[in-house]
DNA sequence: TGTATTGTCGAAAACGATTTAGAATGGCGG
DNA sequence: CCGCCATTCTAAATCGTTTTCGACAATACA
């Protein structure tokens, strides 16, 4: 079917080794034979068999991505889908294909690390995963190049949004519009959640604002129903926030629904803000005020860093790469005018 | 690093070939040595090197997916992301990994077919692609097992929604609510669009309804801005529809925005319906009336069919597989009460 | 002229598996 | 006791590459 290097070498009247060297730019082959080989390769449409090459060189030019979640795969998750898309584009630009890593391939039960070895990926990108799982730890402490998104491990490169600054900017924005009773529904417990929550608390404290009991509650990322419950509860307490910051844009929809079910309209009676900057949600009205994460750059950087780790292992060191966020001033935070204080 | 079959064979005191046969269930190896080998394999954590195996057997247990679009990758496309997710789950359940197919990997310029050969995928699933492109035709007329989603080729298995019935059900639903002035903004020209448009026209004709000039217009899938323009134009014509069917849920948002910008409220002044059943959009209010596509089954069937084509090439024949759709009665189609006619 | 050096090329050994063909062993009947 | 068959194993070829090492000729140098 496909033409092999042996056939090509016969057409050229050369040995297999010379042909290989000609194609791979070795110096010990004359300019003219190199040209002969190359043009013949072009003519016959020769492509080296990636399996054979990988077997010999231990390089597959394949990157693993671990983008799974408990409830849903990362694919149906807007934020991660966007990151993955960008990762894919950048990886391909650099000559790498990508393969999904998982366990339970077929009947056989492999750990993530085993799967990576089995497929001989050159490196792997972790995101949207239960970072505490033993399997993940095994992979992270293994010898395969790793970059993570949104979670920091010892001695591993991590790409994440400037969550601290993002939350800070959001709180300040809300503050500047006159809000003083600001509540925060966080996402489920995770490294990112911790950063955001502490940033929220710090910023509030810097602004001299109290965070009364019940104004900081835990919800679940990407789960409107959970947010619905939490917000409903929040709004039926005696002390009501004038503005609620939601775990993310999608979850925010649940919070908005809860408010509307209680007869409140947004932003007249209650202000809300999200996190992520999901494109689709920006088409809604009123347009959601939110902190946009730069998924394009996150994915891009992840791929870039991973390829560096692979191709220049000695000169590349683990880094923490922070990607700036951008506040999208929508229409869901009401301007209360001059502060009442 | 990873233990090879040679090391395993030495630990067992057997030859490499015997070990291989023991692991692969050949009959000419005694029950006890088979057990010895298997337990030793388990102990040492042996995993066959997929590259070496694939090189010899011509089977990679890798499926290619071609999920690209001109403007955006399929990943950020809700419908296709959901299909892909389901495809992935089913493929993995059957022991296959998946790899994205594209052109322009690295600096080298490959056609889709070349990329498939290069990566030695066992089969490939096409979706969300410009099915007219020469490259795609090359792949489809090649010798690699192929299934397509939403486009029918000669002699190739295709999985698609029952678009005809879907549109028909939607039109009838709208009709039953008293609407007679029904307009349709289609998606861009494609096989699926053709089916939907003709179904729309047939159903309208069956119901004895006219489709006046301007009531059938072409928009673009997944493009709210395009829909915005088209709807704006539609609504400023002398004869106005009472209900507009949109290309898909996401594009519908643009149409809704156009109507609202013209001072109309939905569904009081104008009814609309979408197509796809995007989960996220169902969280909005008013809830969009739409035709849900069963992305779960579409992806599942695609994987199932592809694996059949690969594993039982002689007994599997190209099929057209239609997946039922489901009408989601939302709140965007107003009930006009008893028909005026 | 003899010896290094340089420039090109090819033979052969890997990489880690599968698979074909054949070798060794033992039991059995004739 | 010999031949034959079944059973169980192994040797070796193979998949398509890359890469080391040595061969050979031509050139440079002394």
């Amino acid at each position: 079917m496909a033409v092999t290097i042996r056939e090509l070498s016969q057409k050229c009247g050369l040995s297999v080794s010379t042909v290989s060297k000609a194609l791979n730019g070795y110096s010990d082959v004359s300019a003219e034979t190199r040209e002969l080989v190359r043009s013949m390769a072009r003519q016959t449409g020769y492509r080296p068999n990636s399996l054979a090459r990988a077997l010999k060189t231990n390089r597959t030019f394949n990157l693993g991505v671990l983008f799974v979640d408990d409830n849903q795969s990362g694919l149906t998750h807007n934020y991660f889908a966007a990151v993955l898309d960008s990762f894919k584009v950048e990886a391909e630009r650099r000559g790498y294909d990508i393969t999904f890593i998982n366990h339970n391939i077929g009947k056989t039960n492999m750990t993530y690390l085993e799967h990576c070895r089995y497929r001989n990926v050159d490196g792997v990108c972790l995101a949207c995963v239960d970072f505490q799982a033993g399997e993940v730890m095994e992979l992270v402490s293994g010898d395969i190049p790793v970059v993570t998104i949104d979670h920091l491990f010892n001695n591993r490169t991590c790409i994440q949004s400037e969550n601290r600054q993002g939350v800070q900017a959001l709180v300040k924005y809300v503050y500047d519009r006159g809000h003083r009773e600001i509540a925060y529904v966080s996402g489920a417990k995770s490294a990112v959640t911790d950063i955001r929550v502490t940033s929220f608390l710090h910023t509030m404290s810097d602004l001299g604002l109290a965070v009364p009991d019940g104004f900081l509650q835990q919800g679940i990322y990407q789960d409107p129903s959970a947010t619905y419950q939490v917000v409903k509860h929040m709004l039926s307490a005696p002390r009501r926030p004038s503005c609620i910051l939601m775990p993310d844009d999608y979850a925010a929809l649940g919070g908005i629904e809860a408010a509307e079910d209680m007869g409140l309209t947004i932003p007249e009676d209650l202000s809300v803000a999200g996190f992520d900057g999901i494109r689709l949600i920006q088409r809604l009205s009123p347009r959601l005020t939110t902190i946009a994460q730069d998924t394009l750059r996150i994915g891009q950087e992840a791929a870039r860093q991973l390829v560096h780790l692979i191709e220049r292992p000695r000169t590349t060191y683990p880094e923490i790469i922070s990607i700036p966020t951008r506040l999208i001033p929508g229409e869901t935070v009401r301007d209360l005018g001059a502060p009442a204080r």
Side-chain angles (χ1 to χ4, degrees), chain A:
Chain A
M1 202 92 338
V3 40
T4 78
I5 200 175
R6 168 160 290 109
E7 292 164 20
L8 181 59
S9 73
Q10 284 165 354
K11 276 211 210 307
C12 294
L14 290 167
S15 77
V16 171
S17 17
T18 307
V19 169
S20 171
K21 287 195 264 191
L23 292 173
N24 293 330
Y26 276 60
S27 60
D28 64 342
V29 44
S30 74
E32 45 184 344
T33 56
R34 173 160 39 239
E35 270 324 298
L36 166 67
V37 169
R38 297 225 164 136
S39 82
M40 197 62 90
R42 220 170 303 121
Q43 266 182 51
T44 58
Y46 168 77
R47 298 279 175 192
N49 181 317
S50 67
L51 298 172
R53 160 179 286 176
L55 181 58
K56 186 61 184 163
T57 61
N58 267 319
R59 294 273 276 110
T60 54
F61 288 91
N62 232 320
L63 302 181
V65 289
L66 191 43
F67 263 58
V68 283
D69 203 344
D70 276 350
N71 35 358
Q72 56 188 344
S73 126
L75 288 174
T76 55
H77 195 307
N78 277 275
Y79 166 67
F80 285 107
V83 171
L84 175 58
D85 185 46
S86 164
F87 180 87
K88 170 175 178 289
V89 168
E90 182 65 14
E92 287 171 350
R93 215 179 58 73
R94 292 170 180 268
Y96 289 78
D97 280 314
I98 78 183
T99 294
F100 289 104
I101 295 302
N102 60 302
H103 35 209
N104 297 338
I105 187 82
K107 304 142 289 288
T108 65
N109 211 9
M110 304 194 198
T111 67
Y112 294 140
L113 179 58
E114 285 177 326
H115 193 182
C116 284
R117 284 210 221 281
Y118 172 67
R119 283 296 177 188
N120 300 86
V121 296
D122 293 334
V124 56
C125 173
L126 307 190
C128 186
V129 99
D130 177 6
F131 287 101
Q132 311 305 323
E135 253 190 304
V136 174
M137 295 307 295
E138 180 196 35
L139 181 53
V140 167
S141 47
D143 51 0
I144 297 178
V146 165
V147 303
T148 63
I149 291 176
D150 283 347
H151 190 91
L152 185 58
F153 284 107
N154 252 351
N155 230 29
R156 289 297 195 179
T157 292
C158 166
I159 289 91
Q160 58 187 183
S161 282
E162 287 180 345
N163 285 293
R164 210 177 55 75
Q165 288 89 331
V167 170
Q168 186 180 324
L170 187 56
V171 173
K172 286 215 169 121
Y173 174 85
V174 169
Y175 178 89
D176 287 345
R177 307 243 144 176
H179 292 270
R180 296 296 178 267
E181 303 285 294
I182 307 172
Y184 184 25
V185 180
S186 77
K189 178 136 191 60
S190 76
V192 170
T193 304
D194 286 349
I195 296 174
R196 293 186 189 169
V197 166
T198 59
S199 174
F200 171 71
L201 292 174
H202 275 153
T203 310
M204 291 293 279
S205 141
D206 285 354
L207 292 172
L209 298 182
V211 179
D213 250 23
F215 269 38
L216 173 58
Q217 302 226 5
Q218 195 173 87
I220 302 178
Y221 288 116
Q222 303 292 323
D223 186 338
S225 315
T227 312
Y228 183 95
Q229 299 297 340
V230 174
V231 167
K232 199 131 202 186
H233 191 258
M234 228 174 218
L235 291 179
S236 35
R239 185 167 175 184
R240 260 196 194 176
S242 69
C243 177
I244 305 182
L245 311 182
M246 305 290 184
D248 58 66
D249 290 356
Y250 184 41
L253 298 182
I256 291 172
E257 197 180 341
E260 287 173 343
D261 281 2
M262 295 178 75
L264 305 178
T265 70
I266 290 167
E268 285 74 13
D269 305 322
L270 177 73
S271 294
V272 301
F275 208 102
D276 275 0
I278 302 296
R279 202 168 43 103
L280 194 155
I281 292 182
Q282 282 300 313
R283 303 294 315 197
L284 310 183
S285 69
R287 283 193 354 268
L288 185 64
T289 298
T290 193
I291 294 290
Q293 301 198 64
D294 193 343
T295 53
L296 191 75
R297 279 199 56 204
I298 293 175
Q300 222 169 35
E301 275 299 323
R304 216 170 66 86
Q305 292 295 323
L306 188 50
V307 169
H308 277 180
L309 284 167
I310 293 165
E311 298 184 349
R312 301 199 255 293
R314 297 290 155 219
T315 65
T316 312
Y317 300 99
E319 273 185 83
I320 303 175
I321 295 181
S322 292
I323 309 293
T325 58
R326 188 170 52 88
L327 189 142
I328 301 183
E331 305 159 343
T332 55
V333 172
R334 180 176 168 205
D335 193 336
L336 299 178
R341 64 158 21 203

